[in-house]
């Protein structure tokens, strides 16, 4: 029988911590919890705890992520963390500091099984799911770095490596911790999916009103089957139905991500088809346009910025909301779709485009 791995520092729920602290005065749990999640302190630095307890927590609850490298770009406003996990696989986290907010982009899996050809993580394949503790720890460790610069993390996006809905139980447990204990508003947490319908439907019935983002990239099944292979299992009509249900139940904006690929999904017909899908989710569908970032395994270029803006204007003229997402950290391979954690990426033949 497989032995469950020993819990790491951010795996335990508050109740589980209570059990661990059995025999200690009751108020210790509050002190530990507030130290870990309000102050974002390591046990050794939770100074209102007795030294012996600090040492015990340090020894019994090790960190899960070993920092391999920390790279900085955009004059320090984008920080990418490369971590090594138990077992040797690697994942990345990105901290993005803006004037009005600080966002952490977290990974939910080491690698990804969804095989979107233009995405570096997809090109590398799937290794394993992350644990709840590994997900929460990414947020805490990035927030500690933000805190050094007197900044507080305000937003979380599950847009790092992996498909969050393929690991929904742990992603959700982490979301609850990020919301309830680190104290972020659910409205500032976004879970992005390639379009796993059972995941969207399950999330609709979960309590927190987090934002749903769908990586659409194509508005007809023929093209989407090519760009986002899971579309063959969960085609666009069904995906839109699930988005509409989510919108209705949660009353939260649903957004579509659209990586703009030169000559592939940036034509007039694409704008028209996409606008039509947006209308179905009125009044709230919002399109995030991301110029395709270069990855080793996908030779097609991103749409030039001028045409990205024209595409946005066209969508707006057709009655859809769209923004062009500012690219962060391209020079440190921290931008959308570039997270590969230094893994060798299979170079695939040029994908067919229409
Ligand atoms: N698996 C989830 C979470 C990843 S989010 C999902 O697909 O939604 C990362 C976002 O960046 C997704 O929208 C993804 O499709 C997009 N992306 C992937 N490769 C990209 C690239 N090379 N350039 C721009 N965006 C890319």
């Amino acid at each position: 029988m497989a032995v469950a791995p020993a819990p790491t520092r951010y795996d335990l729920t508050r109740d589980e911590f209570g059990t661990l602290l059995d025999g200690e005065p009751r108020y210790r749990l509050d002190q530990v919890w507030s130290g870990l999640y309000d102050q974002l302190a390591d046990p050794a630095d939770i100074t209102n705890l007795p030294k012996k307890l600090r040492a015990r927590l340090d020894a019994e609850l090790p960190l899960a992520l070993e920092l391999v490298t920390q790279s900085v770009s955009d004059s320090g406003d984008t920080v990418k963390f490369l971590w090594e996990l138990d077992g040797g696989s690697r994942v990345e986290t990105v901290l993005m500091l803006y004037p009005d907010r600080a966002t952490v982009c977290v990974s939910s899996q080491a690698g990804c099984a969804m095989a979107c050809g233009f995405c570096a993580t997809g090109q590398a394949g799937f290794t394993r799911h992350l644990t709840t503790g590994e997900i929460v720890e990414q947020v805490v460790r990035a927030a500690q770095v933000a805190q050094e610069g007197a900044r507080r993390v305000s937003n979380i996006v599950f847009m790092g490596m992996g498909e969050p809905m393929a690991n929904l139980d742990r992603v959700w447990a982490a979301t609850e911790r990020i919301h309830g204990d680190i104290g972020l508003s659910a409205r500032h947490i976004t879970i992005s999916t390639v379009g796993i319908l059972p995941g969207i439907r399950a999330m609709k019935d979960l309590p927190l009103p987090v934002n749903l983002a769908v990586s659409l990239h194509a508005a007809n099944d023929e093209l989407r089957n090519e760009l986002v292979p899971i579309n063959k299992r969960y085609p666009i009509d069904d995906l839109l139905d699930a988005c509409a249900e989510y919108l209705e139940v949660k009353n939260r904006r649903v957004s579509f991500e659209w990586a703009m690929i030169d000559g592939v999904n940036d034509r007039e017909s694409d704008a028209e088809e996409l606008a039509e899908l947006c209308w179905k989710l009125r009044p709230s569908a919002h399109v995030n346009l991301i110029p395709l970032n270069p990855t080793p395994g996908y030779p097609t270029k991103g749409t030039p910025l001028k045409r990205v803006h024209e595409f946005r204007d066209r969508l707006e003229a057709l009655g859809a909301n769209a923004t062009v997402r500012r690219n962060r950290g391209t020079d440190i391979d921290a931008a959308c779709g570039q997270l590969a954690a230094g893994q060798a990426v299979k170079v695939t033949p040029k994908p067919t485009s229409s």
Side-chain angles (χ1 to χ4, degrees), residues 200-201 204 212 214 237-252 254 256 277 280-282:
I200 298 176
R201 297 213 167 99
K204 176 192 80 198
L212 173 68
V214 173
D237 276 353
D238 298 346
L239 178 57
L240 262 280
D241 285 349
C243 291
E245 284 166 25
Y246 191 84
L247 182 67
E248 192 181 313
V249 170
K250 299 281 188 184
N251 201 21
R252 293 301 297 150
V254 173
F256 293 141
L277 295 189
K280 293 194 178 159
L281 295 182
R282 291 220 144 220

Side-chain angles (χ1 to χ4, degrees), residues 118-119 159-160 162-164 192-194 215 217 257 259 292-293 295 336-337:
F118 54 87
C119 174
M159 295 187 182
E163 169 50 45
S192 179
T193 179
V194 74
S215 297
H217 307 309
E257 287 148 284
L292 184 83
N293 291 304
T295 59
C336 298

Side-chain angles (χ1 to χ4, degrees), residues 176-211:
E176 289 187 321
R177 194 85 50 77
I178 293 163
H179 169 261
D181 299 307
I182 302 180
L184 267 76
S185 154
R187 288 159 200 280
H188 289 176
I189 301 173
T190 300
I191 297 186
S192 179
T193 179
V194 74
I196 310 277
L197 295 203
I200 298 176
R201 297 213 167 99
M203 216 169 85
K204 176 192 80 198
D205 297 327
L206 293 168
L208 302 174
V210 300
N211 301 307

Side-chain angles (χ1 to χ4, degrees), residues 71-320:
S71 349
V72 173
S73 83
D74 302 315
S75 318
D77 288 344
T78 304
V79 183
K80 182 175 84 169
F81 305 88
L82 171 64
W83 313 107
E84 186 158 306
L85 311 176
D86 186 32
S89 42
R90 292 179 168 196
V91 295
E92 291 172 323
T93 306
V94 185
L95 167 68
M96 290 163 285
L97 301 168
Y98 301 90
D100 59 335
R101 65 190 194 282
T103 301
V104 183
C105 177
V106 295
S107 293
S108 55
Q109 298 179 315
C112 185
M114 296 298 121
C116 303
F118 54 87
C119 174
T121 314
Q123 289 158 18
F126 176 71
T127 309
R128 74 160 167 88
H129 293 307
L130 298 197
T131 63
T132 302
E134 287 165 342
I135 299 171
V136 174
E137 189 176 324
Q138 291 175 64
V139 176
V140 172
R141 304 269 300 264
Q144 287 171 335
V145 169
Q147 191 165 265
E148 285 163 18
R151 298 291 308 266
R152 265 188 93 81
V153 167
S154 57
N155 294 61
I156 301 295
V157 293
F158 281 88
M159 295 187 182
M161 302 173 76
E163 169 50 45
M165 300 240 174
N167 187 19
L168 189 58
D169 289 353
R170 297 177 187 99
V171 163
W172 195 258
T175 299
E176 289 187 321
R177 194 85 50 77
I178 293 163
H179 169 261
D181 299 307
I182 302 180
L184 267 76
S185 154
R187 288 159 200 280
H188 289 176
I189 301 173
T190 300
I191 297 186
S192 179
T193 179
V194 74
I196 310 277
L197 295 203
I200 298 176
R201 297 213 167 99
M203 216 169 85
K204 176 192 80 198
D205 297 327
L206 293 168
L208 302 174
V210 300
N211 301 307
L212 173 68
V214 173
S215 297
L216 197 62
H217 307 309
N220 67 66
D221 284 324
E222 199 190 342
L223 180 58
R224 196 161 192 271
N225 287 346
E226 243 179 62
L227 295 177
V228 182
I230 198 74
N231 191 70
K232 292 178 201 144
R233 190 171 330 156
Y234 304 120
I236 292 175
D237 276 353
D238 298 346
L239 178 57
L240 262 280
D241 285 349
C243 291
E245 284 166 25
Y246 191 84
L247 182 67
E248 192 181 313
V249 170
K250 299 281 188 184
N251 201 21
R252 293 301 297 150
R253 178 168 98 169
V254 173
S255 52
F256 293 141
E257 287 148 284
W258 194 275
M260 295 206 58
I261 312 173
D262 198 11
V264 174
N265 63 357
D266 58 359
R267 303 154 302 175
E268 168 62 22
S269 59
D270 298 303
E272 286 169 12
E273 287 169 354
L274 173 55
E276 216 164 294
L277 295 189
C278 290
W279 297 337
K280 293 194 178 159
L281 295 182
R282 291 220 144 220
S284 296
H286 184 95
V287 182
N288 278 314
L289 300 170
I290 321 158
L292 184 83
N293 291 304
T295 59
Y298 193 78
T300 310
K301 284 205 182 61
T303 305
L305 209 54
K306 181 168 171 286
R307 278 205 281 118
V308 174
H309 285 107
E310 285 165 8
F311 193 83
R312 187 229 16 231
D313 294 346
R314 188 69 192 118
L315 286 174
E316 297 265 337
L318 290 164

Side-chain angles (χ1 to χ4, degrees), residues 47-69:
T47 48
N48 53 357
L49 297 180
K51 277 221 164 85
K52 223 172 126 191
L53 180 57
R54 288 189 240 166
R56 185 188 145 208
L57 294 178
D58 219 26
E60 286 182 20
L61 292 171
L63 290 169
L65 309 176
E66 189 189 324
L67 184 64
V68 180
T69 52

